[in-house]
Amino acid sequence: MPKTQKRYEDCSKSCSSAARIPLPRMQDSSPDEPRFTVANGPNGRARTPLFEQDADRTRAKSSRASQIGVLETLTPLPDVPDAGTLVAAVPVQRDRRSMSRRPGQNGRIEKRGGSFSFLFYRDVPGTTKRERVRRTLQATTMVAAKQEAQRIIDAEGVNTAAHLEASRGPIVTFGIAAELWKSQQLQANGKHSSKRTMGCELTKHVLPHLKDTAIEDITYPVIRGLVRAWKKEGLGNKSMRNLFGIVRAVYNFYLDETLQHGKTTMLPWLIKWSKVEPAADVEADAPCFTPEQMAVIVEMGRGQYRSLFAVAAGGGLRAGELFALRVEDVNLKDGVITVRRSIVEGVEGTPKNGEIRHVPIDSSVVAEIKKHLNGRKSGLVWHSNRCTPLRSNSVLKWQLKPILKKLKIKFPGRNGMHAFRHGRISYLAYSGVTFAVIREWVGHGSDAMIKHYMAKWQSNNASEMAKLQPVVRTQNNGCDGNEVALLEPVGTILQKKEVGAKVA
C-alpha cells in the first residue's frame, strides 16, 4: 500500500465524518438551499448551514451540535435572488409638502415692452416638485394685471388643498379609467349584448381620442371637440349620444371609486348632452317590411326558417328573443308566446327591458309553428344542426339575404331581422291598435319609439287622402291658356289665375 494512501486512511480515522462532507456552494439560490443555525461556541456565535437533505447531512448536524453546544434555530431567511437579478433599492423621497407650510402664492407680474406676463408655480402630479408657469395677460395697466393674475390663481386653484392632493398621486388618464370600468363594472354587471356593443364602441370611437387625456381634464371644450370628431366620422346623433353616455359612465365610475377613499379631486359630471349636441341631420326612414313583403318572404322560406319568419312578422319579436324561444314558451292552444329570455352570440340573458311579456299571435302563425314542431315538446323552437342556438349573421347570410335578392328588395341596413319588427309595429299602429297595447306586446317603454318606427306606407295614405278635396282644380275653357281655380275657405269666391299658354 502506498504511504500516501495509508497516511490518508489514518487521518480519516481521526477526523469526524462531518469534516469529509463537502460544503454546498452558496452562490446559487434554489428552493432546496439549506437553512442556517446559530450556536454559542468558544469563539462566540457561529452561523453554520443546517443540512436536512440526506442521512449524512443529518448525522453531520448532530455531530456538530454535540461539539459546539446548544443549538438555536432561527426563522428561515427569505429567498434571495441571484446576483444578476439584484435591483438596487431606490430610497423614496419623503413628501414634506403641506398646506400649513404654504402661506399662499400671489405670483409675479413682469412687464416686457408693452405687455404684461404673470409667473406662478404649479405642482406636478407624480412628483414632489413644482413647475413655473408663465401666462400672458391681456391687461394694459398694472392694476388690471393684478386683478387678472388673481383670477388666474383662483381658476388654477394652486393655493388649495385639492390641488396639492391631486399632485401626490400619478396622473390617471381616461384610458386607465376605461380599462378599470370595463373589467370591474361592465364585465361584472353588464349584459352580454351590452358588453359586446359598448366595449366595441369604446375601443373604436372613444379611446382613440381620449386615451391619453387626464380624467380630470374632461370638460366642455374636450367633449365639444370629441363630438366634432364623431361628426367627421359620419356618426348620427343617436350614436353620438350613446358614446357620450359611455364617456359619462367611465367618468362617474372612477369618481365613485376615488370617493370611497376620500381623496378625490374630481368634480361631479356637469356636462349635459343638450349643450354639446350638434344640429340634427335628416334621418332616413327606419328599415321596414310591408305586410305584402313579409307574406312573400314567409312563403319563400324553407324548412324551419318559414316558421321563424312567420313568428318574426306576426309577433314582432327581436332576433335574440326569437333565437332563445323554447317550446315551453309557446302556448299553441291560446295563441300566446311568452318572452322570457334573449340570446346574443350564443349567450343567454334577459330581454332588452328585463321584463317578461306575453305576445299574442294569430291562427296562421300558430299553424306554421305546429307544422314545424311536429309534436316536439321541449328544446329550442329553432336551432342549428348541432342543436345550438341560431346566430343572426348566419340567418341573414344564408336565408334572408338570398330571398331579398330574388324579390329585388333592398337589404334593410345592418340588422335585417329588425325590419320584421318595424313592419309589425307599423301594421298594428295603422290598424287602430292603441299605443299602450303595442308597448305591452313589443316591449317598448314609450310612444316615441313606436312613432319612430312607424313606416310611411303609401297604401295607408291613399285611403286618408281620398277623404280630402283637391287643392288645385284645372279647367279648360277653350282659350289659349290653362285656367286654374284655387280653393278658398267656404263662403268665398274662387280666384282665377292665368298660369301659362298651351303648347301648340
Side-chain angles (χ1 to χ4, degrees):
M1 178 182 298
K3 293 182 178 180
T4 55
Q5 185 176 0
K6 183 178 180 180
R7 196 177 305 126
Y8 178 80
E9 290 180 354
D10 295 338
C11 181
S12 63
K13 294 178 181 179
S14 60
C15 298
S16 63
S17 60
R20 297 196 305 270
I21 299 176
L23 293 177
R25 302 184 62 175
M26 305 306 297
Q27 61 182 3
D28 296 330
S29 175
S30 63
D32 298 332
E33 190 174 5
R35 302 175 183 177
F36 294 90
T37 59
V38 177
N40 295 323
N43 297 326
R45 295 171 63 87
R47 193 168 186 260
T48 57
L50 176 61
F51 303 106
E52 299 179 354
Q53 299 191 10
D54 50 27
D56 293 338
R57 293 182 178 180
T58 305
R59 287 193 299 270
K61 180 184 68 173
S62 61
S63 175
R64 187 181 304 107
S66 62
Q67 295 177 6
I68 296 178
V70 182
L71 292 175
E72 180 184 358
T73 304
L74 298 181
T75 306
L77 298 178
D79 294 336
V80 179
D82 295 339
T85 60
L86 289 177
V87 180
V90 179
V92 179
Q93 185 177 0
R94 183 178 177 183
D95 190 355
R96 298 179 179 271
R97 297 175 297 172
S98 65
M99 294 306 298
S100 61
R101 299 186 180 186
R102 293 184 174 184
Q105 58 174 319
N106 295 324
R108 185 177 67 184
I109 298 177
E110 294 182 354
K111 184 176 181 180
R112 295 183 178 181
S115 61
F116 291 90
S117 60
F118 177 58
L119 288 81
F120 64 96
Y121 286 92
R122 180 173 57 189
D123 291 288
V124 180
T127 67
T128 59
K129 300 180 180 180
R130 293 197 295 176
E131 63 178 355
R132 190 172 68 171
V133 182
R134 179 185 294 272
R135 296 287 178 83
T136 302
L137 305 180
Q138 303 295 330
T140 56
T141 63
M142 180 59 70
V143 175
K146 290 181 179 180
Q147 295 175 354
E148 186 176 352
Q150 187 60 42
R151 289 194 295 269
I152 294 176
I153 289 291
D154 296 339
E156 292 287 340
V158 293
N159 291 333
T160 61
H163 177 76
L164 177 60
E165 189 63 34
S167 65
R168 295 186 186 278
I171 300 176
V172 179
T173 62
F174 183 85
I176 297 175
E179 291 299 326
L180 292 175
W181 175 74
K182 286 177 61 177
S183 60
Q184 299 182 17
Q185 179 70 23
L186 182 62
Q187 298 298 329
N189 303 325
K191 297 172 59 177
H192 179 74
S193 57
S194 301
K195 297 176 186 178
R196 177 177 60 89
T197 304
M198 300 178 74
C200 293
E201 290 177 346
L202 177 66
T203 303
K204 185 176 180 181
H205 298 293
V206 179
L207 289 181
H209 304 286
L210 296 180
K211 183 178 182 180
D212 299 328
T213 304
I215 189 71
E216 298 180 357
D217 294 341
I218 298 181
T219 55
Y220 267 107
V222 175
I223 295 298
R224 289 192 182 98
L226 187 62
V227 171
R228 287 193 295 268
W230 290 338
K231 194 74 174 179
K232 292 181 180 179
E233 295 177 6
L235 300 179
N237 280 24
K238 183 178 179 181
S239 299
M240 288 189 287
R241 183 171 185 174
N242 294 337
L243 296 176
F244 174 82
I246 295 176
V247 176
R248 179 179 55 194
V250 173
Y251 185 95
N252 288 333
F253 166 79
Y254 191 77
L255 175 62
D256 294 341
E257 292 291 319
T258 54
L259 277 175
Q260 294 180 359
H261 301 85
K263 295 184 179 181
T264 184
T265 58
M266 299 171 57
L267 296 175
W269 182 268
L270 303 175
I271 305 174
K272 297 181 179 179
W273 172 250
S274 59
K275 294 186 178 181
V276 298
E277 183 180 9
D281 296 332
V282 178
E283 295 185 2
D285 294 338
C288 177
F289 291 142
T290 64
E292 294 77 12
Q293 291 174 338
M294 290 188 288
V296 177
I297 292 173
V298 172
E299 289 294 331
M300 296 186 65
R302 295 293 178 265
Q304 65 174 350
Y305 298 100
R306 177 185 175 93
S307 59
L308 175 66
F309 295 151
V311 176
L317 276 66
R318 301 179 179 93
E321 297 169 350
L322 288 169
F323 302 153
L325 198 63
R326 296 184 176 273
V327 178
E328 299 85 357
D329 300 330
V330 182
N331 187 346
L332 297 177
K333 180 179 179 181
D334 298 333
V336 177
I337 293 177
T338 304
V339 179
R340 293 188 173 92
R341 60 190 68 84
S342 177
I343 290 182
V344 179
E345 294 185 349
V347 179
E348 184 175 300
T350 59
K352 188 173 181 179
N353 56 1
E355 297 179 357
I356 298 176
R357 69 179 191 272
H358 305 281
V359 182
I361 53 177
D362 57 41
S363 58
S364 62
V365 179
V366 171
E368 293 294 338
I369 298 177
K370 282 184 178 180
K371 182 179 179 181
H372 165 63
L373 294 178
N374 194 20
R376 185 156 55 91
K377 299 297 183 180
S378 62
L380 294 171
V381 178
W382 304 281
H383 54 76
S384 65
N385 295 334
R386 296 178 294 178
C387 295
T388 58
L390 296 176
R391 289 182 177 265
S392 180
N393 293 337
S394 300
V395 175
L396 296 179
K397 181 177 180 180
W398 302 109
Q399 301 298 327
L400 185 57
K401 282 187 177 181
I403 294 176
L404 297 180
K405 187 176 181 180
K406 291 180 181 179
L407 297 176
K408 298 181 179 181
I409 300 175
K410 183 179 178 181
F411 184 72
R414 295 178 298 175
N415 191 355
M417 292 296 295
H418 222 61
F420 286 104
R421 179 176 173 84
H422 296 172
R424 179 62 175 175
I425 294 173
S426 301
Y427 176 75
L428 294 175
Y430 281 117
S431 298
V433 181
T434 62
F435 280 14
V437 175
I438 297 176
R439 289 200 311 268
E440 183 180 354
W441 287 356
V442 302
H444 277 164
S446 64
D447 295 344
M449 291 299 298
I450 300 176
K451 295 177 181 178
H452 174 72
Y453 288 136
M454 285 178 61
K456 282 70 178 175
W457 289 343
Q458 298 296 331
S459 57
N460 292 276
N461 295 336
S463 59
E464 299 296 332
M465 291 297 296
K467 304 175 183 178
L468 305 177
Q469 296 181 1
V471 176
V472 178
R473 296 176 181 175
T474 303
Q475 299 177 352
N476 294 328
N477 54 2
C479 301
D480 293 337
N482 293 332
E483 197 173 72
V484 178
L486 301 179
L487 289 182
E488 295 291 338
V490 179
T492 60
I493 302 175
L494 295 180
Q495 297 180 355
K496 298 181 180 180
K497 183 178 181 181
E498 191 76 14
V499 297
K502 285 186 176 182
V503 179

